[in-house]
Amino acid sequence: MRIEINADDFGLTKGVTDGIIQAHQNGCVTSTTLMMNGLATGYAVEKAKENPDLKIGIHLVLTWGTPLHPSVPNLVKADGTFKFTSGFRDMEAPNLSEVESEWRAQLDAYTATGLTLDHIDSHHHVHGWLPLKNLVIQLAKEYNVPVRYVDSLADHPEICWTDKLWTGFYKEGVTDNLFDVLQKENVQSIEVMTHPGQVDEDLKKVSSYTDDREKEIEILNRIEIPDWIK
């Protein structure tokens, strides 16, 4: 079984970025995905270049912070931040043209860093929103990179990074028996979504998921990778 252990939210804050690097250098994190509108995106780019063995993808954003594109009025609130939340599936479908403009702006910003783009995923799995399916497929093929598995893309396995996404390593699921659980999955490949990070003041302001990020670092650094994993 091929297992990809990906850390989300690279660049969200400096503390989160440092925690991801720690879980890569001392633990089993093999990849991460970069938020181009994060509070520490530039710092994360520097850290990525210092750690060439860490695969870097993009964490497309539509549900947090401010857009990179200068004119996407239908995607934002009066204060200029994205109007969509983690409960986007209960909201009105977005303006597809503006989403494409914004995500292309984020991808262009990523390309400008000089980093190799390994794969695509998104904050709060918003790329799995059914109205965005065709756009996601288009971008995956255009940039020639795989995309995080979500149910809406199950009928397009050719663009999916793995056969399944494991979201159980979160909150009370952050335990040492991760690989024992994964071994029971009947798939050829699986991605484990993780959120390691050091808690800093910026993180406390922008996320409700805080102390458990440091617990993730501890466990990801401690558990040993079994021989049966590719």
Side-chain angles (χ1 to χ4, degrees):
M1 181 188 296
R2 175 173 66 89
I3 297 180
E4 302 283 356
I5 300 181
N6 189 84
D8 287 19
D9 301 343
F10 198 49
L12 176 60
T13 73
K14 184 177 181 293
V16 168
T17 300
D18 285 339
I20 291 171
I21 293 297
Q22 184 180 350
H24 166 64
Q25 291 180 340
N26 304 322
C28 56
V29 165
T30 56
S31 65
T32 188
T33 37
L34 177 62
M35 299 176 73
M36 299 313 300
N37 69 338
L39 301 178
T41 299
Y43 178 75
V45 171
E46 293 176 5
K47 290 299 177 182
K49 292 179 178 179
E50 292 172 4
N51 293 270
D53 291 337
L54 179 62
K55 295 182 288 187
I56 312 292
I58 190 169
H59 203 52
L60 292 175
V61 180
L62 196 62
T63 59
W64 180 87
T66 57
L68 299 190
H69 195 278
S71 181
V72 284
N74 293 294
L75 303 184
V76 297
K77 299 179 290 188
D79 64 359
T81 61
F82 284 118
K83 68 180 183 181
F84 303 101
T85 68
S86 59
F88 57 85
R89 287 184 175 84
D90 295 325
M91 302 176 71
E92 183 180 352
N95 182 299
L96 286 176
S97 176
E98 291 187 13
V99 174
E100 180 174 357
S101 295
E102 171 58 24
W103 279 2
R104 286 189 180 278
Q106 293 180 27
L107 284 159
D108 287 347
Y110 185 99
T111 301
T113 68
L115 295 170
T116 299
L117 181 62
D118 186 77
H119 62 288
I120 293 172
D121 63 24
S122 66
H123 201 47
H124 297 134
H125 308 297
V126 72
H127 74 287
W129 199 0
L130 198 56
L132 303 179
K133 177 178 178 176
N134 289 337
L135 173 59
V136 171
I137 294 170
Q138 177 185 345
L139 292 175
K141 292 181 177 180
E142 183 176 330
Y143 283 84
N144 195 32
V145 291
V147 180
R148 168 177 281 171
Y149 177 90
V150 284
D151 289 343
S152 64
L153 297 176
D155 59 342
H156 282 271
E158 75 279 3
I159 69 167
C160 292
W161 195 31
T162 58
D163 298 330
K164 185 174 182 178
L165 172 66
W166 177 259
T167 60
F169 194 78
Y170 191 72
K171 294 184 177 179
E172 60 273 5
V174 180
T175 62
D176 289 83
N177 69 341
L178 172 63
F179 293 122
D180 293 335
V181 173
L182 295 178
Q183 193 172 22
K184 300 174 184 178
E185 293 291 328
N186 186 28
V187 292
Q188 294 297 312
S189 60
I190 191 167
E191 176 195 352
V192 179
M193 180 184 68
T194 71
H195 296 83
Q198 297 174 5
V199 179
D200 55 16
E201 290 304 313
D202 282 338
L203 182 64
K204 293 177 183 178
K205 295 174 183 176
V206 301
S207 177
S208 60
Y209 193 62
T210 53
D211 292 345
D212 282 328
R213 292 182 189 258
E214 295 195 346
K215 180 182 177 183
E216 287 198 28
I217 296 174
E218 177 187 347
I219 291 180
L220 291 168
N221 285 356
R222 184 170 67 228
I223 56 178
E224 295 185 2
I225 300 176
D227 293 338
W228 53 264
I229 292 178
K230 293 182 182 178

